[in-house]
Amino acid sequence: MSRAATRPVIRLLQASLVLVVAGLYAGTALAQGTLERIKETDRIGVAVANERPYGYITEAGELSGESPTIAREILRRIDPGIEMQGISMDWGNLIPRLNDGDVDVVAAGMFITPARCEQVAFSNPTYVVGESFLVRAGNPLDLESYEDISRNPEARVGLVAGTVEYNYATNSGIRASQAPLYRDFRRAVDALVEGEVDAVGLTSLTARSLARSTEAADLEATPQFYPVIDGEEIKGYGAFAFRKEDEALVAAFNRHLDDFIGSEAHWDAVEEFGFAPDMMPDKTAAELCAG
Protein backbone atom coordinates (compact mmCIF):
# COMPACT_ATOMS: atom_id res chain seq x y z
CA MET A 1 0.00 0.00 0.00
CA SER A 2 1.36 3.44 -0.95
CA ARG A 3 2.01 6.20 1.58
CA ALA A 4 -0.85 8.21 0.08
CA ALA A 5 -3.18 5.26 0.40
CA THR A 6 -2.32 4.72 4.05
CA ARG A 7 -3.06 8.33 5.10
CA PRO A 8 -6.89 7.89 5.22
CA VAL A 9 -6.44 4.74 7.27
CA ILE A 10 -4.11 6.51 9.71
CA ARG A 11 -6.51 9.44 10.02
CA LEU A 12 -9.39 7.01 10.65
CA LEU A 13 -7.42 5.22 13.36
CA GLN A 14 -6.46 8.54 14.96
CA ALA A 15 -10.09 9.67 14.92
CA SER A 16 -11.20 6.39 16.44
CA LEU A 17 -8.56 6.72 19.16
CA VAL A 18 -9.76 10.23 19.97
CA LEU A 19 -13.34 8.98 20.27
CA VAL A 20 -12.30 6.12 22.53
CA VAL A 21 -10.29 8.41 24.81
CA ALA A 22 -13.11 10.96 24.86
CA GLY A 23 -15.53 8.21 25.80
CA LEU A 24 -13.30 7.10 28.65
CA TYR A 25 -13.04 10.64 29.97
CA ALA A 26 -16.79 11.13 29.61
CA GLY A 27 -17.47 7.92 31.51
CA THR A 28 -15.12 8.98 34.28
CA ALA A 29 -16.70 12.42 34.49
CA LEU A 30 -20.15 10.85 34.69
CA ALA A 31 -19.10 8.51 37.50
CA GLN A 32 -17.39 11.25 39.49
CA GLY A 33 -19.72 14.09 38.55
CA THR A 34 -21.69 14.37 41.78
CA LEU A 35 -18.63 14.14 44.01
CA GLU A 36 -16.79 16.76 41.98
CA ARG A 37 -19.83 19.06 41.96
CA ILE A 38 -20.17 18.76 45.72
CA LYS A 39 -16.51 19.66 46.19
CA GLU A 40 -16.74 22.60 43.81
CA THR A 41 -19.97 24.06 45.22
CA ASP A 42 -19.44 23.03 48.87
CA ARG A 43 -23.10 21.99 48.93
CA ILE A 44 -24.79 18.61 49.23
CA GLY A 45 -28.53 17.91 49.32
CA VAL A 46 -29.42 15.60 52.21
CA ALA A 47 -32.82 13.94 52.64
CA VAL A 48 -34.31 12.92 56.00
CA ALA A 49 -37.75 11.59 56.95
CA ASN A 50 -38.04 13.46 60.26
CA GLU A 51 -37.70 10.19 62.17
CA ARG A 52 -35.97 10.50 65.51
CA PRO A 53 -33.29 9.49 66.30
CA TYR A 54 -32.13 8.65 62.74
CA GLY A 55 -32.52 11.87 60.75
CA TYR A 56 -34.64 14.95 61.31
CA ILE A 57 -34.72 18.73 61.15
CA THR A 58 -34.91 20.58 64.46
CA GLU A 59 -37.21 23.51 65.20
CA ALA A 60 -34.18 25.72 64.59
CA GLY A 61 -33.90 24.28 61.07
CA GLU A 62 -30.77 22.23 61.71
CA LEU A 63 -30.11 18.69 60.52
CA SER A 64 -29.79 16.31 63.45
CA GLY A 65 -29.90 12.63 64.28
CA GLU A 66 -27.52 9.71 63.93
CA SER A 67 -27.23 9.78 60.13
CA PRO A 68 -26.74 13.54 59.63
CA THR A 69 -24.23 13.60 62.52
CA ILE A 70 -22.14 10.88 60.89
CA ALA A 71 -22.56 12.43 57.43
CA ARG A 72 -21.29 15.77 58.74
CA GLU A 73 -18.09 14.11 59.98
CA ILE A 74 -17.58 12.05 56.81
CA LEU A 75 -18.10 15.08 54.57
CA ARG A 76 -15.65 17.09 56.68
CA ARG A 77 -13.05 14.43 55.95
CA ILE A 78 -13.85 14.49 52.23
CA ASP A 79 -13.73 18.30 52.04
CA PRO A 80 -13.95 20.57 55.12
CA GLY A 81 -15.92 23.20 53.21
CA ILE A 82 -18.94 21.04 52.33
CA GLU A 83 -22.22 22.13 53.92
CA MET A 84 -25.34 19.98 54.14
CA GLN A 85 -28.66 21.32 52.90
CA GLY A 86 -31.40 19.30 54.57
CA ILE A 87 -34.76 18.43 53.05
CA SER A 88 -37.48 16.59 54.98
CA MET A 89 -39.89 14.38 53.06
CA ASP A 90 -42.23 11.43 53.50
CA TRP A 91 -40.41 8.11 53.79
CA GLY A 92 -41.91 6.79 50.57
CA ASN A 93 -40.45 9.72 48.62
CA LEU A 94 -36.84 9.30 49.77
CA ILE A 95 -35.66 6.94 47.02
CA PRO A 96 -37.70 8.46 44.16
CA ARG A 97 -36.53 11.99 44.90
CA LEU A 98 -32.94 10.83 45.33
CA ASN A 99 -33.02 9.19 41.91
CA ASP A 100 -34.74 12.26 40.43
CA GLY A 101 -31.74 14.35 41.54
CA ASP A 102 -33.57 16.46 44.14
CA VAL A 103 -31.00 15.39 46.76
CA ASP A 104 -27.60 13.69 46.68
CA VAL A 105 -27.83 11.38 49.69
CA VAL A 106 -30.47 9.90 51.97
CA ALA A 107 -29.41 10.23 55.62
CA ALA A 108 -32.43 8.64 57.26
CA GLY A 109 -31.02 5.45 58.76
CA MET A 110 -32.49 3.48 55.83
CA PHE A 111 -32.20 -0.29 56.18
CA ILE A 112 -30.27 -2.10 53.46
CA THR A 113 -32.47 -4.68 51.72
CA PRO A 114 -31.97 -6.57 48.45
CA ALA A 115 -35.07 -4.88 46.98
CA ARG A 116 -33.76 -1.40 47.77
CA CYS A 117 -30.33 -2.35 46.45
CA GLU A 118 -31.93 -2.68 43.02
CA GLN A 119 -32.90 1.01 43.17
CA VAL A 120 -30.01 2.72 44.97
CA ALA A 121 -26.39 2.23 46.05
CA PHE A 122 -25.78 1.93 49.79
CA SER A 123 -22.79 2.81 51.89
CA ASN A 124 -21.66 0.22 54.37
CA PRO A 125 -23.98 0.18 57.42
CA THR A 126 -23.46 2.38 60.47
CA TYR A 127 -25.54 0.37 62.97
CA VAL A 128 -27.68 -2.74 63.47
CA VAL A 129 -30.96 -2.67 65.39
CA GLY A 130 -34.12 -4.66 66.16
CA GLU A 131 -37.82 -3.82 66.20
CA SER A 132 -40.36 -2.68 68.79
CA PHE A 133 -43.97 -1.57 68.93
CA LEU A 134 -45.14 1.75 70.24
CA VAL A 135 -48.26 0.97 72.28
CA ARG A 136 -50.52 2.62 74.81
CA ALA A 137 -49.30 2.52 78.41
CA GLY A 138 -49.58 -0.97 79.86
CA ASN A 139 -49.66 -2.62 76.42
CA PRO A 140 -53.35 -3.63 76.78
CA LEU A 141 -53.25 -6.37 74.12
CA ASP A 142 -49.81 -7.67 75.19
CA LEU A 143 -48.33 -7.24 71.70
CA GLU A 144 -44.62 -8.06 71.55
CA SER A 145 -44.18 -9.51 68.05
CA TYR A 146 -45.84 -9.45 64.64
CA GLU A 147 -47.00 -13.02 65.29
CA ASP A 148 -48.95 -11.74 68.32
CA ILE A 149 -50.89 -9.45 65.99
CA SER A 150 -51.49 -12.11 63.33
CA ARG A 151 -52.91 -14.41 66.02
CA ASN A 152 -55.30 -11.73 67.32
CA PRO A 153 -57.92 -10.76 64.72
CA GLU A 154 -58.92 -7.74 66.81
CA ALA A 155 -55.40 -6.24 66.90
CA ARG A 156 -54.35 -3.53 64.45
CA VAL A 157 -50.83 -2.27 63.80
CA GLY A 158 -50.12 1.06 62.13
CA LEU A 159 -47.32 1.03 59.56
CA VAL A 160 -45.51 3.80 57.69
CA ALA A 161 -45.66 3.37 53.91
CA GLY A 162 -42.33 2.36 52.38
CA THR A 163 -40.74 1.02 55.57
CA VAL A 164 -39.52 -2.54 56.16
CA GLU A 165 -42.13 -2.97 58.88
CA TYR A 166 -44.73 -3.49 56.14
CA ASN A 167 -42.74 -6.51 54.92
CA TYR A 168 -42.42 -7.86 58.46
CA ALA A 169 -46.19 -7.60 58.93
CA THR A 170 -47.18 -9.24 55.64
CA ASN A 171 -44.64 -12.05 56.08
CA SER A 172 -46.11 -12.72 59.52
CA GLY A 173 -49.55 -13.34 58.05
CA ILE A 174 -51.11 -10.06 59.18
CA ARG A 175 -54.12 -9.16 57.02
CA ALA A 176 -54.25 -5.82 55.22
CA SER A 177 -57.30 -4.86 57.27
CA GLN A 178 -55.17 -5.20 60.41
CA ALA A 179 -52.29 -3.08 59.09
CA PRO A 180 -53.37 0.39 57.92
CA LEU A 181 -50.68 2.45 56.19
CA TYR A 182 -49.79 6.05 57.02
CA ARG A 183 -47.76 8.63 55.13
CA ASP A 184 -45.40 9.43 57.98
CA PHE A 185 -44.51 8.59 61.57
CA ARG A 186 -46.50 11.46 63.08
CA ARG A 187 -49.74 10.29 61.45
CA ALA A 188 -49.16 6.71 62.61
CA VAL A 189 -48.58 7.84 66.20
CA ASP A 190 -51.66 10.06 66.09
CA ALA A 191 -53.67 7.01 64.97
CA LEU A 192 -52.40 5.10 68.01
CA VAL A 193 -53.27 7.94 70.40
CA GLU A 194 -56.75 8.22 68.89
CA GLY A 195 -57.37 4.47 69.16
CA GLU A 196 -57.41 3.68 65.44
CA VAL A 197 -54.63 1.13 65.95
CA ASP A 198 -53.27 -0.80 68.92
CA ALA A 199 -49.59 -0.52 68.03
CA VAL A 200 -47.21 1.13 65.59
CA GLY A 201 -44.44 -0.97 64.05
CA LEU A 202 -41.08 0.80 64.38
CA THR A 203 -37.41 0.20 65.00
CA SER A 204 -36.68 -0.11 68.70
CA LEU A 205 -34.81 3.21 68.76
CA THR A 206 -37.67 5.11 67.16
CA ALA A 207 -40.20 3.53 69.51
CA ARG A 208 -38.11 4.41 72.58
CA SER A 209 -37.56 7.96 71.34
CA LEU A 210 -41.28 8.52 70.77
CA ALA A 211 -42.18 6.97 74.12
CA ARG A 212 -39.81 9.37 75.91
CA SER A 213 -41.23 12.46 74.24
CA THR A 214 -43.60 14.63 76.27
CA GLU A 215 -46.13 14.53 73.43
CA ALA A 216 -46.40 10.77 73.81
CA ALA A 217 -46.31 10.58 77.61
CA ASP A 218 -49.10 7.95 77.71
CA LEU A 219 -47.28 5.62 75.32
CA GLU A 220 -44.54 3.06 75.82
CA ALA A 221 -42.16 0.95 73.75
CA THR A 222 -42.29 -2.83 73.89
CA PRO A 223 -39.03 -4.81 74.38
CA GLN A 224 -36.80 -5.09 71.32
CA PHE A 225 -37.33 -8.16 69.16
CA TYR A 226 -36.09 -9.49 65.81
CA PRO A 227 -38.77 -10.43 63.27
CA VAL A 228 -38.53 -13.99 61.98
CA ILE A 229 -39.03 -14.60 58.24
CA ASP A 230 -38.65 -18.11 56.79
CA GLY A 231 -37.16 -19.24 60.08
CA GLU A 232 -34.45 -16.55 60.12
CA GLU A 233 -34.13 -13.62 62.51
CA ILE A 234 -34.06 -10.35 60.60
CA LYS A 235 -31.91 -7.49 61.86
CA GLY A 236 -32.00 -3.94 60.54
CA TYR A 237 -28.77 -2.51 59.14
CA GLY A 238 -28.97 1.25 58.54
CA ALA A 239 -26.87 3.10 55.96
CA PHE A 240 -26.68 6.05 53.57
CA ALA A 241 -28.36 5.73 50.16
CA PHE A 242 -26.97 7.20 46.92
CA ARG A 243 -27.79 7.09 43.23
CA LYS A 244 -26.33 4.03 41.55
CA GLU A 245 -24.26 6.11 39.13
CA ASP A 246 -22.50 7.97 41.96
CA GLU A 247 -19.82 5.32 42.49
CA ALA A 248 -17.12 7.86 43.34
CA LEU A 249 -19.22 9.46 46.07
CA VAL A 250 -20.11 6.07 47.55
CA ALA A 251 -16.44 5.02 47.49
CA ALA A 252 -15.39 8.24 49.24
CA PHE A 253 -18.04 7.76 51.93
CA ASN A 254 -17.10 4.13 52.51
CA ARG A 255 -13.40 4.92 52.70
CA HIS A 256 -13.93 7.34 55.56
CA LEU A 257 -16.72 5.31 57.18
CA ASP A 258 -14.35 2.37 57.50
CA ASP A 259 -12.02 4.54 59.59
CA PHE A 260 -14.79 6.17 61.64
CA ILE A 261 -17.48 3.58 62.41
CA GLY A 262 -16.66 1.70 65.61
CA SER A 263 -14.17 4.29 66.84
CA GLU A 264 -14.49 6.05 70.19
CA ALA A 265 -15.20 9.28 68.33
CA HIS A 266 -18.08 7.59 66.50
CA TRP A 267 -19.85 6.35 69.62
CA ASP A 268 -19.28 9.65 71.41
CA ALA A 269 -20.94 11.48 68.49
CA VAL A 270 -24.10 9.33 68.40
CA GLU A 271 -24.51 8.47 72.08
CA GLU A 272 -27.06 11.26 72.58
CA PHE A 273 -29.31 9.57 70.02
CA GLY A 274 -29.31 6.24 71.86
CA PHE A 275 -26.66 4.42 69.81
CA ALA A 276 -24.04 2.33 71.59
CA PRO A 277 -21.16 -0.07 70.79
CA ASP A 278 -23.47 -3.11 71.02
CA MET A 279 -25.07 -1.84 67.78
CA MET A 280 -21.85 -2.21 65.79
CA PRO A 281 -22.71 -3.67 62.35
CA ASP A 282 -21.15 -7.00 61.42
CA LYS A 283 -21.96 -7.07 57.69
CA THR A 284 -21.10 -5.00 54.62
CA ALA A 285 -23.52 -3.47 52.15
CA ALA A 286 -22.45 -6.03 49.53
CA GLU A 287 -23.31 -8.91 51.86
CA LEU A 288 -26.69 -7.42 52.76
CA CYS A 289 -27.58 -6.63 49.15
CA ALA A 290 -26.84 -10.24 48.26
CA GLY A 291 -29.50 -11.30 50.76
Side-chain angles (χ1 to χ4, degrees):
M1 184 180 292
S2 68
R3 181 179 300 177
T6 60
R7 285 173 184 167
V9 176
I10 293 173
R11 284 197 293 268
L12 179 61
L13 291 173
Q14 289 173 332
S16 299
L17 181 59
V18 168
L19 288 174
V20 170
V21 173
L24 291 173
Y25 276 117
T28 302
L30 181 62
Q32 296 181 341
T34 300
L35 178 59
E36 294 307 313
R37 170 174 56 77
I38 290 168
K39 288 181 176 180
E40 290 174 3
T41 63
D42 283 339
R43 296 287 188 276
I44 183 171
V46 179
V48 296
N50 260 356
E51 180 186 5
R52 296 173 184 262
Y54 299 102
Y56 56 95
I57 297 178
T58 68
E59 293 180 358
E62 297 178 349
L63 272 172
S64 189
E66 183 261 359
S67 286
T69 296
I70 292 176
R72 191 172 287 112
E73 173 61 23
I74 299 306
L75 290 167
R76 183 191 66 79
R77 297 184 181 202
I78 293 174
D79 186 329
I82 297 174
E83 295 183 4
M84 298 191 299
Q85 296 178 318
I87 301 176
S88 175
M89 59 188 70
D90 292 342
W91 185 271
N93 288 332
L94 291 171
I95 289 178
R97 290 189 63 180
L98 170 68
N99 284 331
D100 285 346
D102 295 339
V103 292
D104 302 304
V105 58
V106 172
M110 181 176 284
F111 286 179
I112 302 174
T113 67
R116 286 174 177 163
C117 291
E118 294 180 2
Q119 304 175 69
V120 297
F122 281 103
S123 72
N124 284 325
T126 62
Y127 69 89
V128 59
V129 72
E131 296 287 306
S132 291
F133 293 133
L134 189 67
V135 296
R136 286 185 288 278
N139 194 6
L141 296 186
D142 196 27
L143 304 174
E144 295 190 350
S145 71
Y146 285 101
E147 286 74 21
D148 288 342
I149 295 172
S150 67
R151 287 191 292 262
N152 184 345
E154 302 300 321
R156 287 164 58 85
V157 57
L159 305 170
V160 178
T163 63
V164 295
E165 282 74 25
Y166 175 79
N167 297 331
Y168 297 156
T170 56
N171 276 282
S172 299
I174 296 174
R175 298 188 301 274
S177 60
Q178 289 182 271
L181 293 175
Y182 298 92
R183 281 182 53 191
D184 56 38
F185 298 93
R186 186 70 266 163
R187 287 178 173 83
V189 174
D190 287 344
L192 174 62
V193 172
E194 293 167 7
E196 295 178 13
V197 297
D198 304 292
V200 177
L202 303 161
T203 71
S204 60
L205 280 171
T206 300
R208 292 174 199 166
S209 176
L210 289 169
R212 285 196 302 266
S213 69
T214 54
E215 294 179 319
D218 59 340
L219 305 179
E220 67 180 52
T222 64
Q224 176 173 271
F225 65 92
Y226 295 112
V228 177
I229 297 178
D230 295 330
E232 181 182 355
E233 279 191 341
I234 305 299
K235 299 180 180 181
Y237 291 81
F240 297 96
F242 304 86
R243 287 180 289 275
K244 279 185 170 291
E245 62 265 29
D246 288 338
E247 295 98 337
L249 181 56
V250 178
F253 248 76
N254 275 336
R255 184 165 59 253
H256 294 292
L257 277 177
D258 289 347
D259 292 334
F260 183 65
I261 299 301
S263 67
E264 185 175 347
H266 165 217
W267 299 121
D268 286 346
V270 299
E271 181 181 14
E272 65 175 295
F273 305 113
F275 291 77
D278 63 353
M279 301 172 73
M280 180 70 185
D282 56 355
K283 292 186 177 182
T284 65
E287 291 171 326
L288 294 164
C289 285

